[in-house]
Amino acid sequence: MLPVRSASSSPYSRPERDFTAANTNAMTQPSRRDLANAIRFLAADAVQQANSGHPGMPMGMADIAEVLWNDFLKHAPHNPKWFNRDRFILSNGHGSMLQYACLHLSGYDLPMQQLKQFRQLHSMTPGHPECKDTPGVETTTGPLGQGFANAVGFALAEKLLARQFNRPEFDIVDHMTWVFMGDGCMMEGISHEAASLAGTLGLGKLVAIWDNNHISIDGHVQGWFTDDTPARFEAYGWQVIRDVDGHDPQAIREAILHAQAESAKPTLICCRTIIGFGAPHKQDSEAAHGSPLGKDELAAARANLHWPYAPFEIPQEIYDGWRAINTGHVREDAWNALFDRYAQHYPDLAAELVRRSHAELPQDFAAAADAYIAKTQADGPEVATRKASQMALEAYGPHLPELIGGSADLAESNLTIWKGSRNVLDEVAAGNYVHYGVREFGMTAISSGLALHGGFLPYDATFLVFSDYARNGVRMSALNPAHVVHVYTHDSIGLGEDGPTHQPVEHVASLRHIPNLDVWRPCDAVESAVAWKAAILHQAGPSALIFTRQKLAHQQRSAQQVADIERGAYVLSDPAEAKFDAILIATGSEVELARQAAVALAQQGVKARVVSMPCTEAFDRQPLEWREGVLPGWCRKRVAIEAGVSDYWRKYVGLDGAAIGIDTFGASAPAEQLFPYFGFTVEKIVAAVKDLK
């Protein structure tokens, strides 16, 4: 079996140490306070050198971090991506130097020179943790509360993978998710969404440690944060351990042991701490939160905590007390040996876990997707693209056991459930669907956690207009990046009678402005199937798939045109003559309108090319030759048609082109009345082309 994580009999437990301050330069056995002080002063000195940052949280949580990292955290500094490691997430990411200090002291590939470059260009120690920059950082954090929601996704991934792959005597998937969070995380609404769902899901290997220091940027929080937070979490179904002295290692250790003993509920450990602990004139005040302590206060803190070392000086005895490299090797080697035996007994399961943990798609997926796309083109279904999305899920889902989906209480509208969907609350190995409830923001951040953990390809869903609720989670999925598919239906005034509160106008353009996010707005079932395939293959970041409520016409295409859809934009139709006079660019439901307008223009002697552009990001990545072939520079008569804000399209039509869009809010009426009311007619497109010089 794997090594026991935290029991006192474990060979990997650290012996109890004297909790006294060091008084001399010569250390033979550093105390726990000495080890924690190494965090405090690495953090404070780095902030001071950068003249920027947050020393208060690292100084306040140093004792907690020291106990967690040295006595409980199962990790392998030599191999930060070891699959069965515990996941540590710093939700209060402004205190990033705490994590950098722990990583450095533990032996990760984060040298002291990088700590000295804190918050500097191209360093491995940015102002907030970024998982692409720093070994050992699991997710990018900073926007408060989101790291906590990510942690729920990490813990859910562990639970579901354990259910799918573990067998008697083979606990191949067996690790904890630890998350630090502060008062600010607790105030953010996403913490309510994520904590509520985590309790419902019974994530017993999730432990959140709350840095309850009563201070935020504006000062003591009593004037704006008087919640009974422990009672709130108890109501969510969490185990809550109250009133832990965050500066007493033994109390912290006992609380963590208590947390690990609970397997059916997530645990919140409420630690009372002092922000800026040890800085005699600034601790327990907002002065320690977000700015350097200053040379005089740093010197006073050194004297107060009996830390006689120069900035960035760590004695070897402290390193020896911290280094987890040896136990990391032992733990990973033990797990590897266990996995080898597992592979002998369950070779197919072992191979599947290796594939999924390496984010390798099944070998048959691309061929199966292409076959389905070709069949859909031949069948020519005229369906709403939300229905086409569900059809694609039915086709692709059986080939993708890593696929896990969910909707924010809109499954019947988003059409995100397919025949293979199984509720994760059901005790079945194939659980792959999360009913997120009305929690768009939490859902989105949890999806990122599922993706970043590894072993899953998540998709989430809501109405497009409610992507606003989720937007910062979408942005963070792109920044991480996380391979997530965000599904948004009811994409325009085509929603109809629910009116402007539910009719998205600016949302597609807004999503397109998020870097590293591919946004697909397909025009029929074929483009919808291609969009799903592209999103599954696009592992460099997330994708947003935008679908209609209303039925759309099927577009005729050649096999080459079908293949060209993945390029983001392609020529859907050209006039019979080689030369054309104008280009009509459209997406989604407006592609059919553009095609009809091209026919009407031809009857008036104007030859128009029709370009379907389902994904501007994919098109912009194409070679210049392709882009010029679709939108040749010599043709300046261009009209873009999309039921959304028009300004976005200036990059394709230029100042001398035209964009037919919606630059007001919508209205409550049947969809078939709204499109002509807002000017989406063949006549208006024809007039726009003729007006161009």
Side-chain angles (χ1 to χ4, degrees), residues 34-45:
D34 296 324
L35 299 179
N37 283 344
I39 300 174
R40 289 188 170 96
F41 288 101
L42 283 175
D45 290 335

Side-chain angles (χ1 to χ4, degrees), residues 499-554:
T501 61
H502 283 55
Q503 292 168 0
V505 174
E506 74 278 20
H507 298 73
V508 174
S510 176
L511 290 168
R512 288 181 180 134
H513 283 301
I514 297 177
N516 202 38
L517 174 68
D518 278 8
V519 180
W520 289 83
R521 187 172 184 250
C523 75
D524 66 359
V526 176
E527 285 192 359
S528 298
V530 173
W532 261 109
K533 177 193 172 188
I536 291 166
L537 294 176
H538 181 63
Q539 296 182 315
S543 300
L545 308 185
I546 315 297
F547 298 122
T548 66
R549 178 197 185 195
Q550 72 274 24
K551 287 185 179 181
L552 300 185
H554 171 71

Side-chain angles (χ1 to χ4, degrees), residues 321-622:
W322 262 95
R323 288 291 156 105
I325 290 178
N326 292 333
T327 56
H329 273 293
V330 170
R331 285 171 166 164
E332 186 183 14
D333 289 347
W335 185 82
N336 287 337
L338 180 71
F339 188 83
D340 288 342
R341 295 195 301 275
Y342 174 78
Q344 293 172 7
H345 286 79
Y346 306 100
D348 292 342
L349 283 174
E352 178 67 2
L353 182 57
V354 168
R355 179 189 72 78
R356 288 174 58 174
S357 67
H358 287 80
E360 297 171 354
L361 290 172
Q363 291 183 352
D364 67 342
F365 170 72
D370 288 341
Y372 172 72
I373 292 165
K375 182 178 184 301
T376 305
Q377 180 64 44
D379 292 345
E382 296 196 354
V383 295
T385 51
R386 62 170 174 161
K387 180 61 179 176
S389 168
Q390 187 180 49
M391 292 162 57
L393 283 171
E394 294 285 1
Y396 299 164
H399 300 276
L400 295 168
E402 59 264 56
L403 196 65
I404 182 168
S407 172
D409 200 45
L410 287 170
E412 295 303 314
S413 294
N414 299 146
L415 301 184
T416 47
I417 292 178
W418 58 286
K419 291 178 183 177
S421 295
R422 299 292 183 271
N423 193 329
V424 297
L425 286 176
D426 297 337
E427 293 298 321
V428 294
N432 63 358
Y433 195 86
V434 184
H435 288 277
Y436 283 104
V438 188
R439 302 181 179 99
E440 294 88 356
F441 193 4
M443 169 186 71
T444 307
I446 290 168
S447 293
S448 285
L450 282 163
L452 292 166
H453 177 280
F456 286 104
L457 170 54
Y459 65 93
D460 52 52
T462 186
F463 288 169
L464 177 58
V465 75
F466 299 135
S467 65
D468 279 345
Y469 282 137
R471 182 178 172 82
N472 199 253
V474 177
R475 181 179 189 272
M476 293 301 291
S477 73
L479 177 59
N480 263 298
H483 187 199
V484 182
V485 182
H486 305 296
V487 176
Y488 300 123
T489 70
H490 298 61
D491 70 340
S492 71
I493 55 172
L495 173 64
E497 293 86 343
D498 277 338
T501 61
H502 283 55
Q503 292 168 0
V505 174
E506 74 278 20
H507 298 73
V508 174
S510 176
L511 290 168
R512 288 181 180 134
H513 283 301
I514 297 177
N516 202 38
L517 174 68
D518 278 8
V519 180
W520 289 83
R521 187 172 184 250
C523 75
D524 66 359
V526 176
E527 285 192 359
S528 298
V530 173
W532 261 109
K533 177 193 172 188
I536 291 166
L537 294 176
H538 181 63
Q539 296 182 315
S543 300
L545 308 185
I546 315 297
F547 298 122
T548 66
R549 178 197 185 195
Q550 72 274 24
K551 287 185 179 181
L552 300 185
H554 171 71
Q555 301 299 324
Q556 294 298 323
R557 303 176 184 85
S558 68
Q560 185 58 57
Q561 285 175 308
V562 171
D564 290 343
I565 295 172
E566 290 189 41
R567 291 179 174 266
Y570 63 101
V571 177
L572 182 63
S573 69
D574 262 341
E577 299 84 351
K579 195 73 179 285
F580 46 87
D581 304 309
I583 302 175
L584 305 180
I585 308 168
T587 77
S589 51
E590 290 71 68
V591 168
E592 171 63 13
L593 191 61
R595 191 192 61 79
Q596 293 175 9
V599 173
L601 284 164
Q603 293 171 350
Q604 300 182 37
V606 179
K607 299 180 288 294
R609 163 176 281 190
V610 177
V611 171
S612 177
M613 189 177 283
C615 183
T616 63
E617 297 80 13
F619 177 68
D620 290 345
R621 288 196 295 267
Q622 299 306 310

Side-chain angles (χ1 to χ4, degrees), residues 49-84:
Q49 178 152 306
N51 196 30
S52 172
H54 300 76
M57 185 281 265
M59 297 181 78
M61 293 196 79
D63 295 305
I64 304 168
E66 188 277 320
V67 173
L68 174 63
W69 280 66
N70 283 326
D71 286 12
F72 294 94
L73 193 68
K74 184 174 68 174
H75 62 134
H78 66 283
N79 182 11
K81 295 299 184 181
W82 171 40
F83 177 73
N84 202 42

Side-chain angles (χ1 to χ4, degrees), residues 509 512 521 569 582-595 597 601 608-614 616 619 631 635-663 678-682 684-690 692:
R512 288 181 180 134
R521 187 172 184 250
I583 302 175
L584 305 180
I585 308 168
T587 77
S589 51
E590 290 71 68
V591 168
E592 171 63 13
L593 191 61
R595 191 192 61 79
L601 284 164
R609 163 176 281 190
V610 177
V611 171
S612 177
M613 189 177 283
T616 63
F619 177 68
L631 299 176
C635 184
R636 303 303 302 165
K637 285 189 175 183
R638 302 180 184 183
V639 177
I641 310 108
E642 185 175 63
V645 291
S646 61
D647 274 356
Y648 178 84
W649 289 99
R650 289 294 167 193
K651 66 185 288 188
Y652 299 110
V653 302
L655 296 177
D656 50 349
I660 297 174
I662 300 178
D663 294 310
F678 283 101
F680 290 92
T681 64
V682 168
K684 183 168 181 179
I685 298 171
V686 169
V689 171
K690 287 189 166 184
L692 295 178

